[in-house]
């Protein structure tokens, strides 16, 4: 692939699927600085991997795969440093008009609790929940994760139960 072609394809796909990069980075990090670092790492890995794209999956699926695999590897490599770090969850919520501050605070706390719970899930379950929250179909989730649609349903059901337990303050059995 020529450099001009690669750059053109990359920029086009980034425009179409760049939001997925930020969603994945946000799901796998604790701070906005870490999120930016991971997003840059994902984009670098996507750029490096683009010449190997064979067209067997859609560009959206390929971008998600690169993002998830990069995030999982980054999380594994970065875990020793992060365990010494105090979590700082920066959740920005745009308040709908007419909502009072008590409802805004409750909504923000719920979102923060959800992210804390997602961070406690095994990385494969966290990836599945992220895809679910991004409203991908079971078929699309199966393509991204390389598992069957039936397995997506089973794993997603288990992940939802684990998230529910974590959101209710119960420990998660890995």
């Amino acid at each position: 692939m020529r450099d001009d072609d690669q750059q053109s394809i990359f920029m086009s796909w980034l425009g179409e699927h760049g939001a997925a990069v930020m969603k994945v980075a946000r799901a796998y990090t604790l701070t906005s600085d870490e999120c930016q670092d991971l997003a840059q790492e994902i984009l670098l890995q996507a750029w490096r991997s683009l010449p190997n794209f064979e067209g067997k999956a859609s560009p959206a699926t390929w971008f998600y795969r690169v993002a998830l695999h990069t995030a999982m590897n980054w999380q594994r490599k970065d875990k020793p440093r992060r365990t010494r770090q105090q979590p700082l969850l920066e959740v920005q919520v745009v308040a709908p008009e007419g909502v009072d501050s008590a409802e805004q605070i409750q909504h923000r706390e719920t979102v923060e609790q959800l992210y804390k719970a997602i961070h406690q899930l095994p990385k494969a379950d966290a990836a599945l929940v992220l895809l679910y929250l991004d409203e991908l179909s079971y078929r699309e989730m199966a393509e991204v994760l390389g598992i069957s649609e039936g397995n997506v349903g089973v794993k997603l059901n288990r992940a939802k139960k684990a998230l529910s337990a974590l959101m209710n303050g119960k420990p998660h059995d890995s």
Side-chain angles (χ1 to χ4, degrees), residues 25 31 60 91 94 104 107 117 164:
T31 67
V91 179
V94 178
Q104 291 173 10
H107 181 76
S164 177

Side-chain angles (χ1 to χ4, degrees), residues 121 129 132 138 155-165:
L121 291 174
V129 168
Y132 175 76
Y138 278 32
K155 288 179 175 279
L156 188 56
N157 189 37
R158 289 180 186 155
K160 286 179 182 178
K161 287 180 181 176
L163 267 180
S164 177

Side-chain angles (χ1 to χ4, degrees), residues 48-109:
R48 289 178 179 160
S49 300
L50 186 56
N52 300 326
F53 178 73
E54 296 176 354
K56 292 179 181 175
S58 72
T61 298
W62 177 82
F63 230 95
Y64 255 117
R65 270 195 196 141
V66 170
L68 288 171
H69 288 292
T70 303
M72 287 184 213
N73 287 334
W74 181 86
Q75 188 179 39
R76 182 178 40 81
K77 289 183 211 170
D78 200 49
K79 194 169 187 169
R81 181 185 62 78
R82 285 192 349 261
T83 56
R84 295 185 305 268
Q85 185 179 49
Q86 182 69 22
L88 173 66
L89 295 173
E90 301 167 2
V91 179
Q92 297 177 355
V93 177
V94 178
E97 298 215 11
V99 176
D100 69 8
S101 62
E103 287 181 30
Q104 291 173 10
I105 291 168
Q106 178 63 40
H107 181 76
R108 186 179 69 243
E109 288 173 354

